[in-house]
Amino acid sequence: MDLNQWFEKGLTKEAYEATLKDHKEGFYKIYEEFHLPLNESLFRSVKGKNLRAIIIAEPWCGHCMLNIPLFLKLQEKIDMPVRFILRDEHPELIDQYLTNEKRVIPIFIFIDESGQEVATWGPMAPYTKQFVDEKRKSLPDKESPSYSEAFQTFIQEISAAFTDRADIWQGAYRDMQDTLEKI
């Protein structure tokens, strides 16, 4: 299936938002509180390219909760059509966009009018990765009896930071912006 077909098959923003459960509150908090930095030259440049975005995501994903609302602010500003593909229902697409041979999401695929991929972004910005990696250092070995409980605490702390920290939002948005500026 080519990328135009994936785009047509994808969920609309509203349909994707209807799937949100675990991260719904955080998703909308980020969306409401994130203020898109003014960058008229970027907005004009990207809008002039008539791009579309396919986002491979899942509603249970904390990184999706963080990154998608940030992108949606830009997407709305430049009127970029967007569709969502659920990773777990379509492994054949995510398998073309593996990160370290893993199905890590979200992945943003930017396509032109003819359906050719012009750029990808994801699954996380370097600033976010550094934050997560630092937090991960405190986890015990996976074989440790305390790992499961520690991992749940880790997930809660990461989700809370993603939901509340504007520096993480800005770091992620800047990295998305850098990708789009290179197109």
Side-chain angles (χ1 to χ4, degrees):
M1 192 177 314
D2 71 21
L3 291 173
N4 274 329
Q5 292 171 313
W6 281 111
F7 183 85
E8 293 304 321
K9 182 179 183 135
L11 299 172
T12 63
K13 178 179 90 164
E14 295 76 18
Y16 177 76
E17 288 176 358
T19 69
L20 296 174
K21 291 179 181 62
D22 298 338
H23 293 298
K24 184 175 186 174
E25 186 177 309
F27 182 98
Y28 287 114
K29 181 180 189 292
I30 294 166
Y31 180 80
E32 293 300 323
E33 294 182 12
F34 175 69
H35 300 289
L36 189 66
L38 293 179
N39 187 340
E40 291 300 328
S41 65
L42 172 73
F43 302 156
R44 277 191 307 277
S45 171
V46 175
K47 188 171 184 163
K49 291 179 172 79
N50 295 318
L51 300 176
R52 294 172 289 156
I54 300 168
I55 301 175
I56 306 171
E58 281 290 339
W60 49 258
C61 172
H63 290 281
C64 296
M65 173 195 70
L66 166 64
N67 294 306
I68 292 172
L70 304 175
F71 175 72
L72 289 177
K73 289 288 191 157
L74 174 63
Q75 174 265 328
E76 291 167 358
K77 175 77 175 169
I78 61 176
D79 197 29
M80 180 188 294
V82 63
R83 293 292 186 277
F84 294 84
I85 299 292
L86 297 178
R87 179 197 79 172
D88 295 347
E89 292 178 15
H90 301 287
E92 66 276 23
L93 181 60
I94 188 64
D95 285 350
Q96 297 176 50
Y97 296 93
L98 299 178
T99 302
N100 299 322
E101 299 184 31
K102 296 181 181 167
R103 295 175 175 165
V104 187
I105 51 177
I107 299 293
F108 295 66
I109 308 163
F110 299 99
I111 60 175
D112 63 18
E113 291 174 312
S114 67
Q116 294 300 306
E117 176 185 310
V118 296
T120 61
W121 185 89
M124 72 180 90
Y127 189 84
T128 308
K129 184 173 178 359
Q130 181 180 3
F131 171 76
V132 171
D133 288 349
E134 271 305 306
K135 285 283 196 187
R136 192 180 309 273
K137 287 179 183 175
S138 66
L139 286 173
D141 256 358
K142 285 186 178 182
E143 281 71 45
S144 169
S146 63
Y147 178 80
S148 183
E149 184 178 331
F151 185 73
Q152 290 307 312
T153 300
F154 166 79
I155 294 297
Q156 290 170 351
E157 289 173 357
I158 295 296
S159 291
F162 286 0
T163 303
D164 295 327
R165 290 189 41 191
D167 63 316
I168 293 174
W169 304 349
Q170 292 298 329
Y173 178 76
R174 274 192 307 274
D175 196 53
M176 287 179 205
Q177 177 181 290
D178 290 348
T179 296
L180 291 169
E181 285 175 339
K182 293 174 186 169
I183 298 174

